[in-house]
Amino acid sequence: GINFHFAAKLAIETTQAILTVMKTNANAGEATEQLTHAQAHIDAARQALTAIGTKAYEESETDAVWGHIRAAEKDLKAARKVMK
């Protein structure tokens, strides 16, 4: 069957939405580096998922997608600490 990678797509879009909200925070300038890194990881995860298309993940592809999602989430947590 066709694999739509729903969980990965949802995680990417959720992480992007959180990043978008955080960028509008008055203290976002203090966390520019972390927010920029998070965006780069989100973009990389999105590109990796696009390259996979509807086929099943291979092990390296799983790492490419989910590794970047986890890295973006880590960057957002770091940004939140800086913005407090």
Side-chain angles (χ1 to χ4, degrees):
I2 295 176
N3 191 331
F4 292 105
H5 304 289
F6 181 74
K9 288 179 183 177
L10 181 61
I12 290 168
E13 294 310 317
T14 301
T15 307
Q16 181 68 64
I18 292 167
L19 174 60
T20 300
V21 170
M22 289 179 77
K23 284 181 178 179
T24 64
N25 185 298
N27 297 328
E30 298 172 13
T32 300
E33 182 179 345
Q34 292 87 352
L35 297 176
T36 300
H37 287 154
Q39 185 65 65
H41 285 297
I42 292 167
D43 293 343
R46 190 176 280 128
Q47 287 176 341
L49 194 58
T50 299
I52 294 167
T54 57
K55 66 183 177 111
Y57 286 122
E58 293 179 15
E59 187 173 338
S60 63
E61 293 170 331
T62 301
D63 293 341
V65 173
W66 287 100
H68 283 296
I69 292 169
R70 285 189 293 274
E73 291 169 348
K74 184 177 178 182
D75 288 331
L76 292 178
K77 287 178 185 176
R80 195 177 92 223
K81 288 180 183 178
V82 170
M83 292 167 61
K84 281 189 176 183

